Amino acid sequence: MKLTKLKPFIYFLSVVLLIISYSLTTSARQEEPIPGADRPELYLDQLQGKNVGIVANQTSILTQSNNKHVVDFLLEKGIKVKKVFVPEHGFRGQADAGEKVDNTVDSKTGLPIISLYGNNKKPKPEQIADLDILVFDLQDVGVRFYTYISTMHYLMEAAGEQGKKVIIFDRPNPNGDYIAGPVLKKGFESFVGMHHIPVVHGLTVGELAQMINGEKWLKGGLKVDLEVIPVAQWTHSTVYNLPVKPSPNLPNELSIRLYPSTCFFEGTIVSLGRGTHFPFQVYGYPDPKFGDFTFTPVSIDGMSKNPPHQDKKCYGIDLRGETLSHEFTLKYLLDAYHKSGKEQAFFNNFFNTLAGTDELKKMIMAGKTESEITASWQEELKKYEILRAKYLLYN
C-alpha cells in the first residue's frame, strides 16, 4: 500500500490514541484522593469572619492547587488566621526527632508560630482565648508512636476545655490498609502512645479524632465540638503516595511502610539508619556479626544532628529491596536481638514505652517466635477492630 493511502489511517489512529491517552489521564486524575484541605467548599463559609488558629506544618498543602500551603490559601481567601501551632519537627519540618522547637514568627506571613512540642504540648488557655475555631491539618502515617496524633489529642482537649470548635482537615493514611501490633496497656501512656490502640491503628486522623471524642478519652471524659472535613475518592485500600515527606526521617514511601516495624530499634542498641539518607530502611550495629551491609551514620542538618553510633561503621541489613506491600513484622527486631547475644542489654528504657506494653520485651527475651508473639495480641486486635468499625468514614 502506498504511503499516501496510509496517511489518513495513520492520522485517524493517532487521534484515537490521543483520545484514549487523555481519557486515561483524566480518569486517573479524577480518582486521585482529595484531602480535606482541598475541599474548601466544605469549610470556607464557616471560617469566614472567625478568628482561626491552625495546627500545620510542611505537609499542610492543597494538592489540587499546585501544593499551595493551607495557611497561604486561607489568608488569600480572607480567613482571619491569627496563629499557627506546630508539632514535632516544626513549621517547615526541619527539626530533628525530639529536638526543641521554639516559638517564632513566620517570615512569609508574619503570623506567630507557637510550638506544641517540648514543654508546651497542649495549647495554654491564653494561647487560644482569642480564637473561635481551631483547625488541624497534618499528614499522619497511621502509627501509634508518630506524635502528630498526640498533638491532635491535646489540641482537642484544650479546645474542649475552652469551648472552642475543632475542625480536622482529614488526609489519607498511607498505612491505613491494615491493623497490627500490640494494643497499648494501661500504665504505659506517653506522648508516643496516648491511646489504647495498636501500633498500626488503621485510622485517618479524622477517624481517630472521632474515636477519641466518642470514647471520651479526653481528660475528665470531656467532649469537644468536632467536625471532620473528609477525604474524597479514597478508601482504606487505596494506595496513596504522599506529595511531601511527613517528617525529616521518613523520606519516601518505603520508609513509611517500614516505619511501624523498624521504629522499634529506637528502643534498642541498634541503628535504624538515622544519620543516613535512607533512615528506617536499614538496621545495623558496629559489629560485623550483624550483617554484610555497611553504613556509617553522620550528622545531617535537617535530618539527624546526633544519630546513634555517629561516625562508626555499622554492619547490618539493607531493607531497600522490600516492596510497598510490606506490613508490620517483628522479624528484623528478632534477627538483630538474636545476633547481638546481649539479652537485657539489647534494650533501652524507651523500648516498653514504644511498645506500649512490657509483654513484648518479655516474650522476646523468653525466646518466643514471631508467630507466638503476634498470636498473643490477636484477641485485643479483634476487640479493637469492633471499636474501629464505629468510627470509620471510608469504605
Side-chain angles (χ1 to χ4, degrees):
M1 187 181 292
K2 293 182 179 180
L3 184 61
T4 53
K5 292 183 178 180
L6 278 174
K7 281 183 178 179
F9 174 74
I10 293 171
Y11 175 77
F12 171 76
L13 184 61
S14 65
V15 170
V16 170
L17 290 174
L18 185 63
I19 292 171
I20 292 172
S21 175
Y22 176 79
S23 298
L24 290 173
T25 302
T26 303
S27 174
R29 188 183 301 119
Q30 288 175 342
E31 293 174 359
E32 288 177 359
I34 303 174
D38 281 287
R39 308 182 73 191
E41 70 278 5
L42 299 182
Y43 62 79
L44 277 183
D45 282 352
Q46 60 181 313
L47 296 182
Q48 291 289 350
K50 304 292 186 181
N51 291 329
V52 176
I54 184 168
V55 179
N57 65 3
Q58 81 285 351
T59 69
S60 310
I61 59 172
L62 279 74
T63 57
Q64 307 291 305
S65 300
N66 296 318
N67 291 349
K68 183 187 294 290
H69 197 280
V70 68
V71 172
D72 298 331
F73 175 77
L74 293 176
L75 291 172
E76 287 175 5
K77 295 299 180 181
I79 304 302
K80 295 190 290 184
V81 179
K82 296 295 184 181
K83 298 171 185 176
V84 179
F85 298 89
V86 298
E88 183 178 8
H89 308 300
F91 187 44
R92 302 298 176 187
Q94 296 177 330
D96 197 3
E99 183 179 348
K100 185 177 184 294
V101 177
D102 293 320
N103 294 344
T104 183
V105 173
D106 181 41
S107 58
K108 182 175 182 180
T109 63
L111 291 172
I113 305 294
I114 300 171
S115 172
L116 295 182
Y117 193 67
N119 295 326
N120 187 48
K121 293 182 174 68
K122 178 179 174 179
K124 294 180 174 62
E126 61 269 24
Q127 292 173 331
I128 64 173
D130 58 341
L131 303 176
D132 302 307
I133 295 176
L134 291 158
V135 174
F136 181 93
D137 184 22
L138 299 178
Q139 176 62 62
D140 188 52
V141 298
V143 182
R144 187 183 66 219
F145 34 68
Y146 202 66
T147 61
Y148 293 171
I149 57 175
S150 299
T151 297
M152 181 178 71
H153 177 110
Y154 280 131
L155 179 81
M156 291 171 61
E157 193 169 274
E161 290 170 349
Q162 301 301 314
K164 312 291 183 179
K165 181 172 182 174
V166 171
I167 299 179
I168 308 289
F169 290 177
D170 211 5
R171 292 183 177 272
N173 176 356
N175 284 310
D177 54 323
Y178 73 108
I179 62 172
V183 174
L184 185 137
K185 283 172 55 177
K186 188 173 182 179
F188 286 86
E189 296 87 354
S190 71
F191 195 62
V192 294
M194 297 188 69
H195 313 111
H196 297 167
I197 58 178
V199 169
V200 186
H201 52 71
L203 297 169
T204 65
V205 290
E207 292 170 327
L208 179 57
Q210 292 193 149
M211 181 182 286
I212 292 168
N213 217 30
E215 298 302 309
K216 299 183 179 180
W217 286 347
L218 300 178
K219 188 170 66 176
L222 182 72
K223 292 189 75 170
V224 66
D225 182 5
L226 176 70
E227 181 176 349
V228 177
I229 306 299
V231 183
Q233 300 173 181
W234 184 81
T235 73
H236 281 275
S237 61
T238 305
V239 175
Y240 182 64
N241 297 318
L242 273 60
V244 178
K245 62 183 181 180
S247 53
N249 284 284
L250 291 179
N252 54 33
E253 301 306 315
L254 182 59
S255 65
I256 291 168
R257 291 297 278 185
L258 288 169
Y259 175 72
S261 306
T262 55
C263 190
F264 277 103
F265 287 121
E266 303 272 38
T268 74
I269 61 171
V270 174
S271 166
L272 50 72
R274 288 190 185 276
T276 72
H277 290 285
F278 34 84
F280 293 98
Q281 300 160 80
V282 300
Y283 63 93
Y285 185 78
D287 187 329
K289 69 183 179 183
F290 279 78
D292 296 329
F293 176 70
T294 61
F295 61 94
T296 302
V298 297
S299 181
I300 302 175
D301 284 344
M303 286 187 72
S304 296
K305 292 196 170 89
N306 297 291
H309 307 304
Q310 182 174 339
D311 301 324
K312 295 179 182 178
K313 188 175 184 178
C314 291
Y315 300 80
I317 305 295
D318 186 355
L319 302 175
R320 285 174 289 174
E322 295 283 354
T323 66
L324 289 177
S325 62
H326 178 88
E327 293 187 0
F328 176 80
T329 181
L330 293 172
K331 66 182 180 181
Y332 313 133
L333 181 64
L334 293 173
D335 169 65
Y337 172 77
H338 292 305
K339 285 176 178 175
S340 75
K342 291 182 179 292
E343 299 184 350
Q344 176 71 38
F346 176 79
F347 304 95
N348 61 38
N349 293 333
F350 192 46
F351 187 83
N352 288 347
T353 303
L354 273 176
T357 174
D358 55 359
E359 292 300 320
L360 177 56
K361 178 180 173 182
K362 288 178 181 177
M363 286 188 285
I364 292 173
M365 293 187 65
K368 301 292 185 182
T369 64
E370 178 171 21
S371 60
E372 288 173 324
I373 295 171
T374 56
S376 71
W377 57 58
Q378 292 308 308
E379 280 302 313
E380 286 187 306
L381 285 181
K382 288 177 184 176
K383 293 177 184 176
Y384 172 75
E385 186 100 55
I386 295 170
L387 174 66
R388 173 178 176 263
K390 293 167 54 180
Y391 299 102
L392 293 179
L393 294 170
Y394 313 99
N395 293 332

